Amino acid sequence: MQIDPRRLAVLRAVADAGGVLAAASVLHLTPSAVSQHIARLEAETGVTLLDRSQLGGRRAAGLTPAGRMLAGHAAKLGQVLAAAEHELAAFTGQVAGPVTVGAFPTAIRHLVVPVAAELGESAPAVALRIRQYEPEPGRAALRTGELDLLITESDAAALARDPAGLRTVKLFDDPYRIVVPRRWGPVSDLDVLRDRPWVDGPPDTAVRRVLDRVCAQHGLTLDRRHECLEFPAALAVVAAGLAAAVVPALALPEQHPAVRAITTPLVGARRLDLMHRRGRHEPSPAARLVAAALTTRAHDTAPSS
């Protein structure tokens, strides 16, 4: 019996992702191709690896006990390959390979893109791939291996904890600013804006949490007339004279003729973190190089409070 290690990697992806469909997305294969790899591995080993009793039902097809056992060996094989990569990089002094980084739009613009351009010159053997992700789906993609590094945002006032299986490194706090239409004239504090319309964020977003906290702390009931997911859209609403908004400093343009930013400590900040998988050989040498470059860039980019 000879086991194809490439098919073992597919089996491991099914185990990590939680099913054939999710593994296909991670591996950039069709579900049919993933199923074929598993079927050929079953033919090689002579045992059933995929529990097909759930096919067509609400639950994703999972692995049989034999499949889970073999996926465990596949994970060990992945650790051996990662160790070999680390040792070879140390032996040769060369770092190479693909690194996929997930981030939200402002982090892509200010951190990931400049680092990708810089490493394209200084470390051309490292192929940095950029993917736009919001924090929650990004953490899932990081765990399954679709991402190597992830930049997330969260409320700086919240207790910071490492998610299960992941390690978090703080980059910096990005202070929020209240932005108002310039045509509204001078605005000194929140009391002036209590009766004005505002741009809210969708449920469970940083902006929504900030406005909820400000209202609770100061006994305000704001007219949240508009709702925008992206900060450029919120700034467009403000520039048109329609509402005030809360925007992080990193998302503000250096100059905007129709918008005025108010510096106030009342609205707090968002925290930017860099995440990678937790493990003896994580991150890879190439991902470690990218992480170091992102950390340096973050230090140079961090807005003043």
Side-chain angles (χ1 to χ4, degrees), residues 163-180:
L166 304 178
R167 188 179 300 278
T168 301
V169 178
K170 180 178 177 179
L171 295 177
F172 58 83
D173 286 341
D174 186 14
Y176 286 110
R177 307 289 191 230
I178 295 176
V179 291
V180 299

Side-chain angles (χ1 to χ4, degrees), residues 1-5 7-8 11 37-50 64 66-67 69-71 73:
M1 177 178 62
Q2 186 174 2
I3 299 176
D4 190 329
R7 291 176 189 143
L8 271 182
L11 182 69
H37 277 292
I38 300 301
R40 289 171 184 167
L41 187 58
E42 288 177 327
E44 290 173 353
T45 59
V47 296
T48 301
L49 304 173
L50 186 65
T64 64
M69 178 273 294
L70 199 56
H73 285 289

Side-chain angles (χ1 to χ4, degrees), residues 92-122:
T92 63
Q94 296 178 348
V95 177
V99 178
T100 306
V101 180
F104 52 94
T106 47
I108 289 176
R109 176 187 173 192
H110 291 280
L111 300 178
V112 186
V113 168
V115 164
E118 172 191 320
L119 293 181
E121 297 290 334
S122 62

Side-chain angles (χ1 to χ4, degrees), residues 39-301:
R40 289 171 184 167
L41 187 58
E42 288 177 327
E44 290 173 353
T45 59
V47 296
T48 301
L49 304 173
L50 186 65
D51 180 3
R52 296 172 175 82
S53 64
Q54 299 296 337
L55 289 176
R58 293 184 178 181
R59 293 174 56 193
L63 299 182
T64 64
R68 291 193 294 272
M69 178 273 294
L70 199 56
H73 285 289
K76 294 176 184 176
L77 178 60
Q79 293 172 0
V80 170
L81 293 174
E85 185 179 352
H86 274 266
E87 291 180 18
L88 186 61
F91 183 80
T92 63
Q94 296 178 348
V95 177
V99 178
T100 306
V101 180
F104 52 94
T106 47
I108 289 176
R109 176 187 173 192
H110 291 280
L111 300 178
V112 186
V113 168
V115 164
E118 172 191 320
L119 293 181
E121 297 290 334
S122 62
V126 175
L128 196 157
R129 302 166 178 171
I130 301 171
R131 301 287 186 269
Q132 181 175 329
Y133 269 97
E134 292 301 314
E136 194 57 38
R139 284 189 282 270
L142 190 60
R143 289 190 177 96
T144 60
E146 189 171 0
L147 295 176
D148 298 298
L149 300 170
L150 174 69
I151 299 177
T152 65
E153 62 174 350
S154 59
D155 193 338
L159 180 64
R161 293 178 177 174
D162 283 342
L166 304 178
R167 188 179 300 278
T168 301
V169 178
K170 180 178 177 179
L171 295 177
F172 58 83
D173 286 341
D174 186 14
Y176 286 110
R177 307 289 191 230
I178 295 176
V179 291
V180 299
R182 195 170 292 275
R183 69 176 66 175
W184 284 6
V187 175
S188 57
D189 54 41
L190 279 173
D191 284 337
V192 180
L193 299 173
R194 66 170 57 242
D195 297 322
R196 296 278 195 169
W198 285 76
V199 180
D200 199 359
D204 201 32
T205 60
V207 169
R208 172 68 65 88
R209 289 190 289 270
V210 168
L211 286 180
D212 286 346
R213 183 174 66 243
V214 169
C215 288
Q217 288 177 346
H218 302 279
L220 300 176
T221 301
L222 300 178
D223 176 7
R224 307 186 190 194
R225 192 171 304 181
H226 311 286
E227 185 177 294
C228 294
L229 177 61
E230 302 291 346
F231 293 121
L235 286 169
V237 174
V238 176
L242 300 176
V246 173
V247 176
L250 201 64
L252 285 173
E254 291 185 7
Q255 297 291 334
H256 199 306
V259 172
R260 176 185 288 110
I262 304 171
T263 302
T264 172
L266 297 176
V267 289
R270 64 175 179 176
R271 185 178 63 250
L272 272 64
D273 292 315
L274 180 64
M275 291 185 175
H276 63 79
R277 288 181 295 279
R278 183 190 296 272
R280 181 179 176 185
H281 301 294
E282 296 283 0
S284 69
R288 192 181 301 275
L289 178 68
V290 174
L294 287 169
T295 302
T296 299
R297 177 71 185 182
H299 181 269
D300 297 338
T301 305

